[in-house]
Amino acid sequence: LTTIAAQVAVVVQNVRLLTSERRRASILAGIVRLGAQLASIRDVNALLATLVTEAASLADSPACTVLLHDEPHQELVVAAATGFGDEPPLGLRLPATLPLVRAALESAKPLIIPNIDRDAPELRTLLFQKGSNAFFAFPMIRSGRVLGVITLSSPSPRIPSDQEIAGSQLLAELAASALENAQIYEESQARVRGLSALTGVGEALNRALSLPETLDIILRKAMSVVGKTEGSILLRDPATNTMRIVAHVGLPADEVEA
């Protein structure tokens, strides 16, 4: 009986190991597929929305955020989030100078907090997901720069395995590459639109017959480039040394008259 029990124990252990290996292989395959999917998306907002949704699913996390690093202002900005109901914390900013945040950015290494109340109670004031008891952040590194971080959480304290940490960090780096490419694409498209608008302005000005018509063309083209629905051009009146609206689009009548 002892021998049989030992054999059964070995079989059970082998089955557990096989199940664990299959799960790790499945997660890795999911990360690779997601990386390829992200690389094909050219719209930054769509890319980040896909990233948080799929990353939360892969990691079995109740919530996921992407915080982009605003280096000039030394802040982290919530650019995408899932798991927060009808009020995701989009646009919220965290000072990058906070000790915990600064350490994570400077080290460019995963931040693993298995038990928030025990290991980093000061994090409670920063958390968007109040039911979290474990917190993990993975830096999105590209060309030596931290573009942002992907955050995951757990409702109960837990220590992720080395494989889980490595997999999430791999995803963060794949996402950083895709994000940079999407940003470059959007910037190039904006330049193309700007050049096209300038060409249109030149052609329209050649057909303009008066100064008011010319100013109206310039204003409308400028608004189309920056994506605004209201605008005006003001010129200084040398006789009164005051500014006067000489062209306008979308402004209320009382504002124009004033």
Side-chain angles (χ1 to χ4, degrees):
L1 291 177
T2 302
T3 301
I4 293 174
Q7 291 175 340
V8 170
V10 169
V11 170
V12 170
Q13 180 65 15
N14 287 340
V15 169
R16 286 176 177 169
L17 289 173
L18 180 60
T19 301
S20 178
E21 287 298 325
R22 285 177 174 171
R23 173 167 171 73
R24 279 198 291 269
S26 175
I27 291 175
L28 180 58
I31 290 171
V32 172
R33 283 195 300 270
L34 178 54
Q37 181 182 358
L38 295 176
S40 69
I41 301 175
R42 292 291 176 262
D43 179 271
V44 170
N45 290 333
L47 185 154
L48 295 177
T50 299
L51 172 58
V52 293
T53 300
E54 297 300 327
S57 177
L58 283 171
D60 195 23
S61 173
C64 176
T65 65
V66 170
L67 294 93
L68 296 185
H69 189 195
D70 181 349
E71 293 185 68
H73 296 94
Q74 285 295 292
E75 293 177 320
L76 289 177
V77 186
V78 181
T82 189
F84 297 91
D86 296 331
E87 297 184 1
L90 298 178
L92 289 183
R93 291 174 172 266
L94 297 177
T97 53
L98 293 173
L100 197 64
V101 177
R102 185 177 67 247
L105 292 175
E106 290 177 353
S107 70
K109 294 179 180 179
L111 176 65
I112 307 300
I113 303 178
N115 187 319
I116 294 173
D117 293 327
R118 181 193 66 197
D119 304 324
E122 68 274 19
L123 184 62
R124 283 285 176 205
T125 61
L126 305 177
L127 287 178
F128 306 122
Q129 181 69 278
K130 300 305 181 183
S132 300
N133 284 295
F135 178 84
F136 320 111
F138 302 91
M140 300 167 66
I141 304 169
R142 184 64 175 168
S143 302
R145 292 176 54 236
V146 179
L147 304 184
V149 295
I150 299 174
T151 73
L152 301 167
S153 61
S154 171
S156 58
R158 79 178 190 90
I159 301 175
S161 67
D162 291 343
Q163 290 85 355
E164 287 178 292
I165 295 173
S168 294
Q169 186 55 48
L170 172 61
L171 175 58
E173 293 175 12
L174 291 173
S177 176
L179 174 61
E180 184 181 62
N181 290 338
Q183 289 173 332
I184 291 172
Y185 177 80
E186 286 195 349
E187 289 167 4
S188 67
Q189 290 299 105
R191 284 194 293 271
V192 169
R193 288 193 297 270
L195 291 173
S196 176
L198 287 175
T199 300
V201 168
E203 294 173 350
L205 290 179
N206 287 333
R207 298 191 299 269
L209 300 176
S210 65
L211 178 60
E213 186 179 356
T214 298
L215 294 175
D216 184 70
I217 291 170
I218 292 173
L219 175 59
R220 290 180 184 277
K221 289 297 183 181
M223 290 170 57
S224 70
V225 170
V226 297
K228 299 299 182 180
T229 58
E230 296 180 359
S232 62
I233 294 177
L234 289 83
L235 294 180
R236 187 177 71 85
D237 185 338
T240 61
N241 199 30
T242 58
M243 303 300 292
R244 182 168 59 89
I245 295 177
V246 294
H248 63 89
V249 174
L251 297 183
D254 57 344
E255 187 173 333
V256 175
E257 292 171 359

